[in-house]
Amino acid sequence: MPIAHPATDARIESLLARMTVEEKVGQLGVFADMVRPFAPDVNPEVNVSNAAQVLEQVRAGQVGCLFNGVGAAQGREIQRVAVEESRLGIPVLLAADVIHGMRTVFPIPLGEAASFEPQLAERTARATAVEATAAGLHWTYAPAVDIARDQRWGRGAEGAGEDTFLGCAFAAARVRGFQGEDLRAADSLLATPKHFVAYGAVAGGMDYNYVEIAEGTLHDVHLPPFKAAVDAGALTVMTAFNDINGVPASANHAMLTGVLRDAWGFPGLVVSDYTADMELVAHGYAEDARDATRRAFLAGMDMSMQSGFYAEHLPGLVESGEVPVALLDEAVRRVLSVKSAIGLLDDPYRSLDPAREVDTSQRAAHEALARDAARRSIVLLKNEGDVLPVSRQARIALIGPFARDVDNIEGCWTLFGDKSRYVTLEAGLRAALPEGAALDVVDGCALEAPLDGGIESAVAAARGADVVLLAVGEPQRYSGEAQSRTRIVLPAAQQALAEAVAATGTPVVVLLRNGRALALEGAVRDAQAILVTWFLGSQTGHAVADVVFGEYSPSGRLPVSFPHDSGQQPFFYNHPRTGRPETPEMTEFKARWREYPNTALYPFGHGLGYGRIEYGATRVDAPALEWDGSLQVRATVANTGARAAEEVVQLYVHDRVGSRVRPVRELKGFRKLRLQPGESREVVFTLSRAQLAFTGADGRFAAEPGAFDVWIAPSSVAGEPARFELLASR
Ligand code: BGC
């Protein structure tokens, strides 16, 4: 997609012709927005400055972009200085981390992925863009499209989980949603797939750690969501902090230039992650700041965030000839082209309308969307004895540190949420219950510590109730950047509370709050029902109430496998086959742990609703798929229960023999259906060779002829496969 039309090209060329090297380098600088209220504690303090200094830099033409400030009126002042007081009058890009909502907060992206509805993510991203551009922003550093196969890593919360196919669908949807149909529209927000690339593959799940990765895994698992985002029209990409097999991603020519630009034809700009060029020195990949600048720039990083390295060292590198001026011009051209593509060169005050900023006419619609998105993100893991939905006449005890909490609702990376509008669990449940209903609310413990008399009052409340809603889980700050865990379990104080409550014998429904898959233990694992509620955002309480009282039948499915135990990590459903797979008949000398089989407690794709869904056999229309042909795969899905439900029908394949060992199963399609009680439908998926391709032993991305298994199933472990043959090309 060309990003600037010819007339603006001419304008960009004429600007370039007039720019000094310093002004060119200025366009490549991204700095914290100290002019407008700044979101504190998001990043380490580096290169700290103040509002006056930032405005002076803008005046001097030393700023291409400011980030993480908001406000339309002050944004206009920044642009006025850029346009009227800088020599060339080039407007500044205004960016921020707006990951899953601006004022109205939507579920964390991992939670939203559980909806298996990319079109929902597109709508929440659109609403986010409307609010963000009203607050004076052009650009969001989202979506995170990192594939997270290790639940110890805290940034899995920002992405779409462990699966690449699902990740691609959500990556593309979010880009479309943020950017809308017309990049020049005042409510279009530039998207940034990040972090390029393999950030989710950090060793041991420890954030910022090294990445050692097979070429095939890099290409088949981690790169595709970026490709999907670029194909959906993303014009900016952010680099990652990690190295990839020894070469830092932020100075990785093979990735930034070889893959992104040369192979994919990406026309936009590459921005570094926060001080990622500076970190090349700490990595031991660059000798000093100058060397780091040269390496990052020559690899293909156009914009440098916050380190100030480009400003300080690029002019000298150009002068010495170590960086060709033509390459500098290319980078500047890309930045200006993006500015042009969003209409900023025509209207520097685009998305800086103070009247729009205070207009709340969209709020109700966005909150309704947030409620729907939140309830669609909830996953019902188990429901013994149909304890859910709960009757409104029941005596209910809402117990746990999240019961009335308002500080752990939004989830990580929410910088600008309107906390005054957040709906707690208690508020949501009360709003759904008749006046005077029996709802007893007890904290029981703090997030990470016991409370004096907490367990006693929780036990008393449980004893007096027909059902307990147990609101436990991870504090919000356990997930997100730099939040890696060795044990992905509940804090001990909460586990103790759960044990005491369960011992009363009153049925327990766990309302789990989590930014990753957890290893559930004891009374939490064994509760009668478990609802995975992630961090659901502004409308948390209403969404949970909708599901608890049966206004909405849960339709979320796990985008990450819940393991039996933390020690299984990295655990993901689509792992390569081993030479000694476990079978029901034989467990000795098999790939398993002493304590657990090589399975999940709740697998990827799992989730229940209030209907009763039954799958007929998977059938293929023909025994063979021609090389250039297509094959239909079908199954009948029926709701034999008494309540309507939405079912996520999933298509998996398995390549029985490959030139590289193939995953046990891979998701290749999904569809969400609404089924009335007694209704049954035939679901048909079409397979072609393209869906069967992978990076083979020869390094080529291609399908290999031979036998395949195929399932239409309710999860990544369910069902019996049909079989077909991919025929070689004739
Ligand atoms: C994060 C990015 C974020 C940037 C700017 C970094 O620490 O890794 O995801 O966009 O900060 O706040």
Side-chain angles (χ1 to χ4, degrees):
M1 177 178 45
I3 61 173
H5 56 77
T8 56
D9 276 351
R11 182 163 42 174
I12 290 169
E13 293 313 312
S14 112
L15 275 172
L16 267 170
R18 285 182 288 142
M19 288 167 103
T20 63
V21 167
E22 283 69 23
E23 283 165 331
K24 290 176 183 173
V25 171
Q27 286 304 306
L28 310 183
V30 180
F31 297 98
D33 183 348
M34 306 308 288
V35 180
R36 307 187 289 173
F38 181 66
D41 300 331
V42 175
N43 291 117
E45 287 193 349
V46 173
N47 243 341
V48 180
S49 64
N50 59 35
Q53 286 165 325
V54 167
L55 283 177
E56 192 40 50
Q57 278 178 289
V58 171
R59 197 170 283 120
Q62 292 167 353
V63 175
C65 167
L66 293 176
F67 76 102
N68 278 354
V70 279
Q74 282 169 299
R76 292 184 80 84
E77 176 57 11
I78 295 171
Q79 288 308 38
R80 191 195 62 72
V81 171
V83 173
E84 293 178 14
E85 299 183 10
S86 78
R87 195 178 74 88
L88 293 167
I90 303 172
V92 171
L93 279 166
L94 300 170
D97 291 289
V98 186
I99 313 296
H100 54 110
M102 182 75 195
R103 303 293 190 220
T104 310
V105 181
F106 300 101
I108 54 168
L110 178 63
E112 206 174 56
S115 71
F116 275 69
E117 292 179 65
Q119 64 280 18
L120 178 70
E122 183 169 341
R123 289 170 63 211
T124 61
R126 186 87 290 276
T128 301
V130 167
E131 292 188 4
T133 53
L137 293 170
H138 308 126
W139 183 8
T140 178
Y141 297 145
V145 303
D146 306 309
I147 298 298
R149 294 174 139 195
D150 191 323
Q151 299 304 309
R152 293 172 294 184
W153 192 52
R155 299 199 78 172
E158 297 171 54
E162 72 189 35
D163 182 69
T164 300
F165 184 84
L166 189 66
C168 287
F170 274 86
R174 291 191 167 119
V175 169
R176 286 195 302 269
F178 285 133
Q179 297 193 163
E181 275 171 16
D182 177 7
L183 283 172
R184 300 170 70 88
D187 65 2
S188 172
L189 189 65
L190 281 166
T192 309
K194 68 183 187 184
H195 307 79
F196 194 76
V197 56
Y199 187 34
V202 283
M206 187 178 75
D207 207 7
Y208 316 129
N209 209 5
Y210 63 89
V211 169
E212 285 189 350
I213 192 167
E215 278 292 302
T217 310
L218 180 61
H219 283 270
D220 297 353
V221 175
H222 294 274
L223 280 164
F226 288 94
K227 176 73 164 58
V230 166
D231 288 348
L235 288 182
T236 80
V237 166
M238 184 186 287
T239 66
F241 288 129
N242 53 280
D243 74 87
I244 304 164
N245 299 329
V247 180
S250 295
N252 199 308
H253 189 271
M255 291 295 124
L256 298 178
T257 299
V259 171
L260 189 59
R261 294 202 188 289
D262 296 348
W264 297 354
F266 172 63
L269 67 85
V270 173
V271 61
S272 81
D273 201 346
Y274 188 92
T275 62
D277 48 2
M278 176 183 262
E279 292 167 25
L280 297 177
V281 178
H283 268 297
Y285 189 71
E287 276 176 26
D288 52 24
R290 190 172 191 276
D291 191 32
T293 303
R294 183 180 63 82
R295 287 175 184 273
F297 184 82
L298 291 179
M301 181 204 282
D302 299 314
M303 297 187 97
S304 159
M305 190 189 295
Q306 195 60 19
S307 66
F309 273 24
Y310 277 22
E312 205 175 332
H313 299 290
L314 259 186
L317 286 163
V318 171
E319 178 153 1
S320 71
E322 287 162 275
V323 165
V325 73
L327 281 189
L328 176 63
D329 286 354
E330 267 307 297
V332 177
R333 200 173 272 124
R334 287 194 280 260
V335 173
L336 294 178
S337 298
V338 170
K339 291 186 177 183
S340 166
I342 67 165
L344 202 58
L345 299 185
D346 299 309
D347 176 11
Y349 299 100
R350 188 209 112 118
S351 306
L352 291 170
D353 175 358
R356 226 185 112 207
E357 188 172 27
V358 294
D359 175 12
T360 54
S361 59
Q362 303 275 334
R363 189 160 77 188
H366 290 178
E367 287 184 348
L369 176 62
R371 180 175 185 158
D372 196 36
R375 61 190 197 171
R376 288 176 173 280
S377 302
I378 295 173
V379 185
L380 175 61
L381 295 184
K382 66 186 288 203
N383 190 16
E384 270 171 30
D386 287 340
V387 59
L388 281 169
V390 171
S391 156
R392 286 184 164 86
Q393 273 68 51
R395 291 171 305 156
I396 302 168
L398 171 64
I399 298 174
F402 296 98
R404 33 188 161 208
D405 169 276
V406 66
D407 297 323
N408 292 269
I409 276 190
E410 55 190 25
C412 61
W413 278 114
T414 305
L415 308 184
F416 312 105
D418 180 354
K419 287 201 168 55
S420 71
R421 313 270 316 164
Y422 292 178
V423 182
T424 65
L425 284 178
E426 178 183 13
L429 293 170
R430 286 213 191 281
L433 286 168
E435 198 63 23
L439 176 68
D440 203 358
V441 182
V442 175
D443 292 340
C445 65
L447 290 172
E448 297 175 282
L451 285 177
D452 272 353
I455 291 217
E456 289 76 3
S457 42
V459 165
R463 287 219 172 94
D466 301 317
V467 61
V468 171
L469 303 179
L470 186 64
V472 291
E474 292 188 299
Q476 172 169 303
R477 61 180 175 75
Y478 281 23
S479 50
E481 184 171 351
Q483 299 305 323
S484 303
R485 304 189 64 194
T486 53
R487 299 196 61 231
I488 50 174
V489 296
L490 259 50
Q494 294 189 46
Q495 190 67 38
L497 173 69
E499 302 300 335
V501 166
T504 64
T506 305
V508 173
V509 175
V510 170
L511 306 177
L512 193 69
R513 208 161 287 191
N514 51 313
R516 55 162 63 76
L518 293 176
L520 304 177
E521 300 179 308
V524 175
R525 178 195 56 214
D526 299 336
Q528 279 68 25
I530 303 174
L531 288 169
V532 175
T533 75
W534 319 103
F535 293 91
L536 291 176
S538 304
Q539 295 283 305
T540 293
H542 289 320
V544 170
D546 285 344
V547 166
V548 164
F549 297 121
E551 285 301 311
Y552 184 75
S553 168
S555 67
R557 301 294 182 259
L558 291 179
V560 279
S561 306
F562 271 53
H564 296 279
D565 187 83
S566 305
Q568 289 177 269
Q569 296 302 315
F571 185 91
F572 46 95
Y573 82 96
N574 48 353
H575 57 83
R577 274 169 65 172
T578 72
R580 291 193 173 189
E582 216 176 349
T583 58
E585 306 79 53
M586 192 172 171
T587 55
E588 284 301 305
F589 299 102
K590 294 293 185 183
R592 58 170 286 126
W593 287 273
R594 172 170 289 282
E595 298 86 354
Y596 294 105
N598 185 21
T599 59
L601 174 64
Y602 291 106
F604 175 89
H606 171 76
L608 306 172
Y610 296 152
R612 205 162 301 284
I613 306 296
E614 285 171 24
Y615 280 68
T618 302
R619 289 165 287 136
V620 286
D621 280 7
L625 166 60
E626 299 277 349
W627 187 248
D628 288 317
S630 63
L631 177 68
Q632 303 214 303
V633 188
R634 55 185 81 227
T636 303
V637 182
N639 181 3
T640 59
R643 289 168 169 270
E646 285 169 76
E647 174 66 7
V648 179
V649 182
Q650 300 157 42
L651 175 76
Y652 293 94
V653 300
H654 164 57
D655 188 344
R656 293 179 75 104
V657 179
S659 65
R660 280 199 308 125
V661 172
R662 307 308 307 133
V664 291
R665 282 201 200 192
E666 292 175 280
L667 185 72
K668 293 295 174 187
F670 57 85
R671 207 163 298 157
K672 201 166 195 174
L673 307 178
R674 186 171 172 79
L675 292 167
Q676 296 301 329
E679 187 179 351
S680 85
R681 278 217 239 153
E682 187 177 63
V683 180
V684 184
F685 291 97
T686 303
L687 271 179
S688 65
R689 184 180 93 230
Q691 287 144 285
L692 308 176
F694 66 96
T695 303
D698 58 2
R700 283 191 326 121
F701 186 76
E704 294 178 357
F708 287 79
D709 294 318
V710 59
W711 295 255
I712 293 179
S715 83
S716 59
V717 302
E720 289 299 322
R723 199 167 156 169
F724 69 91
E725 197 86 23
L726 172 65
L727 301 179
S729 106
R730 270 181 280 167

